[in-house]
Amino acid sequence: MSETSVASGQFGQYPPAQRTIIHLSDTHLLAENVALGGRYDTEANLRRTMERVVELGLTPDALVFTGDLTDLGEPDAYERLRTVVEPVAAEWGCPIVWVAGNHDERPALREGLLGLDPTEAPVIGEWDLGGLRLIALDSSVPGWHHGDLDDAQLEWLRARLTEPAPLGTILALHHPPLPSHVPLFDILELQHQERLAEVIAGSDVRAILAGHLHYSTSGTFAGVPVSVAAATCYTMDIGRPALSVNGMDAGQSFHLVHVYDNTITHSVVPVAGAADGDYFTPEWYERMSRLTRAERLEVFSRKPDKSGSENA
């Protein structure tokens, strides 16, 4: 192991990730910071989430918000969203990818977040993150809560995927192309999924990021891994029987997406952090970094003997 890899904290066989994305979803902000449903302070929950994002102590390549940015599509709500998120992204100098959801209103989103004409045109975009292509699709259907992708978007996506990107492509959309075990969620799902599957078949799409469900889940679609981030506003308590699943002001999280040469990982980061531990301290990392790989295995990887004492 080289001195460079030791200094970077690489103790295993994988080099550091090539790109890092922070994936958040379903902020559901309201104008004048009204409590959602009289229960959820969505702006306070978002502010705490962004504080937690900063606490990660890293510089991501992008912040991706996969839809339902506001609850009613109010212009003031989009302005509040910018006020909370943009200073953080500006500090890092990274782009914010705003994805439209079924609770958003395209005209207000386009004008309030993107500075575009307030039309009903789909909110789509493409970003080059140092060779990693990130494409945002608009699965919202004006006036409805289910999702769909129109012919124009699919043809645009097909054209963009004709030429592979150096590090591959990640798609972001609100409605996940996955089943949900929660009753009635199927009427809110992405319609005509087979058309999207046909477009991405054989392409360089490596991952799909989505939201909408208010709980974290994952699966595959057309052979591509799909990762759904839970909401920052409130989450679904899927620990209850399927017919009694309901919302709760707890369990909020976001995803930390690491892009490696041959894989992409999606780590769930809880907003409610725990107290600092007393084992993996800065001093411990410093001590470990001075050891060879063999010495680290001897100190850290070997199990304690039967007496409970450490074999180190």
Side-chain angles (χ1 to χ4, degrees):
M1 178 172 293
S2 69
E3 290 296 324
T4 300
S5 60
V6 170
S8 68
Q10 179 190 335
F11 295 158
Q13 59 192 290
Y14 293 98
Q18 295 175 310
R19 301 291 179 268
T20 302
I21 294 171
I22 295 177
H23 173 202
L24 311 95
S25 200
D26 292 84
T27 50
H28 283 265
L29 261 63
L30 285 158
E32 300 178 1
N33 196 27
V34 176
L36 180 61
R39 299 174 56 193
Y40 308 112
D41 189 336
T42 60
E43 183 173 331
N45 287 347
L46 174 61
R47 289 185 181 279
R48 175 58 192 132
T49 300
M50 296 310 297
E51 290 172 0
R52 184 71 161 149
V53 165
V54 172
E55 289 171 3
L56 292 175
L58 52 79
T59 301
D61 295 282
L63 289 174
V64 180
F65 288 78
T66 49
D68 281 358
L69 310 172
T70 68
D71 194 63
L72 299 174
E74 302 156 301
D76 178 66
Y78 289 113
E79 182 60 33
R80 288 178 175 274
L81 183 60
R82 291 183 59 184
T83 299
V84 176
V85 176
E86 285 187 347
V88 177
E91 185 71 21
W92 288 325
C94 75
I96 307 171
V97 178
W98 303 114
V99 177
N102 53 287
H103 278 265
D104 291 303
E105 295 292 337
R106 288 177 177 175
L109 190 163
R110 289 170 61 84
E111 183 175 42
L113 294 182
L114 306 177
L116 301 174
D117 291 337
T119 70
E120 288 287 357
V123 181
I124 61 176
E126 178 179 348
W127 292 260
D128 179 0
L129 307 179
L132 175 68
R133 179 167 52 196
L134 178 61
I135 291 179
L137 300 174
D138 188 343
S139 60
S140 69
V141 180
W144 298 87
H145 283 300
H146 68 267
D148 209 345
L149 297 169
D150 58 26
D151 292 339
Q153 280 194 72
L154 292 174
E155 287 308 310
W156 174 77
L157 177 62
R158 188 192 306 274
R160 299 311 304 146
L161 295 178
T162 300
E163 183 177 349
L167 299 181
T169 297
I170 293 179
L171 301 182
L173 74 167
H174 182 61
H175 298 78
L178 291 177
S180 173
H181 73 286
V182 181
L184 297 183
F185 271 32
D186 55 351
I187 65 175
L188 306 177
E189 68 187 8
L190 181 69
Q191 302 293 309
H192 306 107
Q193 295 181 16
E194 70 283 355
R195 302 201 307 156
L196 176 61
E198 189 272 330
V199 171
I200 67 176
S203 72
D204 71 340
V205 175
R206 301 178 61 189
I208 298 174
L209 310 182
H212 188 46
L213 300 180
H214 287 237
Y215 65 88
S216 296
T217 188
S218 61
T220 56
F221 173 73
V224 177
V226 180
S227 179
V228 181
T232 69
C233 60
Y234 70 88
T235 65
M236 303 302 290
D237 183 2
I238 59 172
R240 298 166 61 97
L243 288 174
S244 64
V245 169
N246 213 331
M248 61 179 183
D249 194 8
Q252 288 91 344
S253 64
F254 57 92
H255 287 185
L256 190 55
V257 182
H258 285 110
V259 179
Y260 297 90
D261 286 334
N262 299 311
T263 191
I264 298 178
T265 62
H266 306 263
S267 305
V268 179
V269 182
V271 173
D276 292 340
D278 57 2
Y279 193 87
F280 296 108
T281 63
E283 293 75 20
W284 182 89
Y285 276 107
E286 174 63 25
R287 179 168 63 90
M288 291 291 285
S289 69
R290 293 195 299 266
L291 304 179
T292 66
R293 178 174 173 80
E295 290 170 336
R296 285 197 297 271
L297 287 172
E298 182 67 24
V299 170
F300 187 58
S301 186
R302 184 184 295 274
K303 293 181 180 180
D305 60 27
K306 292 183 180 180
S307 67
S309 60
E310 296 288 339
N311 292 321

